[in-house]
Amino acid sequence: LNEGFIDITDNIYLEEDDHAKNISKELHDKDVLLSVVGSLGETAMFSNYLTGKTSLPRNIAFIRTNEDKILPEFLTSFFLSKFSKEQCIYSGGGNIQGLLSLTKLKKFIVPVPDMQVQESFKEKYTKALDLEFKILSSIEDCKKELYKALDINFSKLKFKNSFPASIENIKSNSIWTPSFYDTKPSEILSEIGKKFELKSLGTLTTIKKGNEIGSENYKDYLLKTDLDVSFIRTSDIYNYQINSYPSYYASKDIYYELNQDFKTGDIILNNDGRIGYVSIITSEDKAIYQSHIRRLRTKKEYKNLQSYIFLCLIINEIGGIQFKKNTVIQTTIPTLANRVENIVIPIINDEAIKIISSKMDLVISMIEEKKRIIKLIKCEMNKLINYS
């Protein structure tokens, strides 16, 4: 759950029989969700951009409202407020991670204004949900456009069930991960390479690493001020977007001191941990980026490829297979290390790139509008309950 929305890019799936064993956890339309384990107080409303049967893990609670008294859209808007977030944190316990019991959740204080006021919040939050649906749908349309341009039936490609790795090759790479020597990614890229030129990210972009500011400089929700800046970690990318309200913040002095040069339009990529999660920085994203994040900025001669590169990185047959192949475990953390610059991108025809870029420009503008609406909802809710 992130700033009122559900991340659908990190789903876990259940067998139908296992889902049936916990049918009471199956979500209904307009169920209000609230995180009660870990990062307390994150919220969203279950809505139309998730399809099929869906259930929850134990770290999320769901609430069904009596809509004659309180609208689910209004309750979700309230859970986005500063007062609600603080109730969650102060009510939480737990030694290793935050824990909010349902007993305490049932005692929460919730404002119930007249329906006219509630409808006003419903209208705004519904518009934000509609935008999220359009954002995700448009990205899927762009993927289809890319597959159409590639014109390769990947399902018909045949692969061997095993592959060799010589000891000389292992020694020269100093990598003992079997997937690094899997021939399947190379065969897929070879098939693409028969039709299109392949260029590496090191050729197409300049790559810059974020910064680690030290945990002593982290400010959580209770300690942050309005002047502090979001600190974006690898867990703060969802639905190809950057979370505007992450778990941690840092002072504006650190922001200006680091001068990271991460700008609107840049691609950011998780290089460690949740590898391969990608987003484009928008005009609404002012933040400090963690050292596990890489910034990709297209070089001047490839400026028209920025959105196109982003799209290539999120489809399995280009970005996905290369991220998996190049990932190694460093102690306990998955990492790409410096191998991100070796990931290759096929250069398709100019017309298809123009179509994709045009659609992605609209996606970015919708993300910016959605973020402004959520910011407005938070501001108006804090005003409604006179809580600043």
Side-chain angles (χ1 to χ4, degrees):
L1 308 181
N2 287 281
E3 57 179 317
F5 306 95
I6 300 168
D7 183 3
I8 66 167
T9 59
D10 192 22
N11 288 337
I12 297 172
Y13 294 87
L14 294 174
E15 294 285 352
E16 183 78 28
D17 290 346
D18 291 326
H19 175 76
K21 291 173 186 175
N22 293 283
I23 201 68
S24 64
K25 302 295 190 294
E26 184 174 313
L27 294 178
H28 297 178
D29 187 41
K30 295 195 175 185
D31 280 349
V32 179
L33 312 180
L34 189 74
S35 61
V36 292
V37 177
S39 181
L40 303 180
E42 296 294 336
T43 188
M45 188 182 77
F46 185 67
S47 59
N48 63 353
Y49 63 89
L50 281 94
T51 57
K53 295 177 181 178
T54 307
S55 62
L56 290 175
R58 62 179 290 273
N59 60 320
I60 299 175
F62 66 86
I63 302 163
R64 290 181 186 141
T65 70
N66 178 346
E67 293 194 44
D68 291 334
K69 294 182 179 179
I70 187 166
L71 300 176
E73 296 88 353
F74 175 80
L75 182 59
T76 308
S77 297
F78 168 71
F79 282 148
L80 287 168
S81 73
K82 184 178 180 183
F83 177 59
S84 173
K85 185 76 170 179
E86 290 184 356
Q87 274 197 97
C88 291
I89 295 170
Y90 286 128
S91 300
N95 295 321
I96 298 174
Q97 58 181 351
L99 176 64
L100 177 61
S101 70
L102 293 186
T103 301
K104 289 185 177 179
L105 182 56
K106 289 175 182 177
K107 296 178 181 178
F108 264 37
I109 301 297
V110 177
V112 186
D114 62 55
M115 277 297 166
Q116 186 176 358
V117 173
Q118 292 192 43
E119 287 286 351
S120 172
F121 282 94
K122 175 182 177 179
E123 181 182 349
K124 293 181 182 67
Y125 183 57
T126 300
K127 185 177 181 181
L129 287 175
D130 289 343
L131 282 167
E132 187 77 348
F133 178 77
K134 289 176 182 177
I135 289 163
L136 296 170
S137 299
S138 297
I139 290 174
E140 289 304 311
D141 287 343
C142 288
K143 287 182 183 180
K144 291 175 184 175
E145 199 71 45
L146 177 53
Y147 282 122
K148 179 182 174 183
L150 291 172
D151 193 26
I152 297 171
N153 190 339
F154 292 104
S155 64
K156 287 193 174 182
L157 299 181
K158 297 186 182 300
F159 306 101
K160 296 176 182 177
N161 292 325
S162 62
F163 51 88
S166 69
I167 191 66
E168 290 78 14
N169 203 2
I170 293 173
K171 283 180 178 179
S172 65
N173 289 306
S174 297
I175 294 175
W176 292 78
T177 305
S179 61
F180 187 79
Y181 304 96
D182 188 352
T183 56
K184 181 178 177 180
S186 299
E187 289 172 25
I188 292 174
L189 292 173
S190 176
E191 197 68 26
I192 296 173
K194 291 175 184 177
K195 302 179 68 175
F196 307 100
E197 182 183 8
L198 300 176
K199 287 184 178 289
S200 70
L201 286 179
T203 300
L204 297 170
T205 70
T206 58
I207 303 172
K208 182 174 180 178
K209 184 179 180 179
N211 298 88
E212 189 49 67
I213 62 173
S215 58
E216 68 275 9
N217 291 309
Y218 290 7
K219 294 186 179 184
D220 63 19
Y221 194 87
L222 297 178
L223 292 177
K224 80 176 186 72
T225 70
D226 290 341
L227 296 177
D228 292 326
V229 179
S230 298
F231 181 61
I232 301 301
R233 302 180 299 162
T234 57
S235 57
D236 293 317
I237 296 177
Y238 77 100
N239 290 348
Y240 317 112
Q241 302 162 50
I242 299 165
N243 190 350
S244 296
Y245 302 95
S247 299
Y248 294 105
Y249 299 77
S251 72
K252 67 173 183 177
D253 292 338
I254 294 176
Y255 173 78
Y256 288 116
E257 180 185 327
L258 290 175
N259 190 24
Q260 286 189 323
D261 189 33
F262 282 48
K263 296 179 179 177
T264 299
D266 288 344
I267 298 170
I268 63 167
L269 164 69
N270 284 355
N271 197 71
D272 304 291
R274 299 171 79 212
I275 288 173
Y277 282 74
V278 184
S279 179
I280 291 182
I281 298 175
T282 74
S283 62
E284 294 294 309
D285 301 315
K286 180 181 180 181
I288 299 169
Y289 295 89
Q290 186 187 43
S291 60
H292 297 314
I293 288 173
R294 297 291 185 273
R295 182 216 71 191
L296 309 180
R297 180 178 296 163
T298 49
K299 295 176 181 177
K300 188 179 292 185
E301 59 269 36
Y302 302 115
K303 198 67 178 175
N304 64 312
L305 298 180
Q306 188 85 353
S307 298
Y308 170 70
I309 291 171
F310 162 83
L311 193 67
C312 287
L313 292 175
I314 66 175
I315 73 165
N316 186 57
E317 290 79 5
I318 300 176
I321 57 170
Q322 295 185 80
F323 291 137
K324 185 176 180 180
K325 177 183 173 68
N326 287 284
T327 295
V328 299
I329 306 298
Q330 186 173 273
T331 312
T332 58
I333 301 174
T335 181
L336 284 175
N338 294 322
R339 288 178 294 279
V340 64
E341 64 186 25
N342 299 327
I343 289 172
V344 297
I345 303 294
I347 308 303
I348 60 174
N349 66 81
D350 288 344
E351 187 59 32
I353 289 174
K354 283 181 183 178
I355 292 170
I356 289 169
S357 298
S358 177
K359 289 185 176 181
M360 284 303 303
D361 286 344
L362 289 175
V363 167
I364 292 168
S365 67
M366 287 190 287
I367 291 173
E368 290 171 339
E369 184 182 358
K370 186 205 77 170
K371 285 174 176 279
R372 287 191 287 268
I373 292 171
I374 293 300
K375 187 176 181 180
L376 180 61
I377 287 173
K378 283 171 165 275
C379 181
E380 292 193 354
M381 183 61 71
N382 289 332
K383 285 181 181 178
L384 175 69
I385 58 180
N386 194 24
Y387 197 81
S388 62

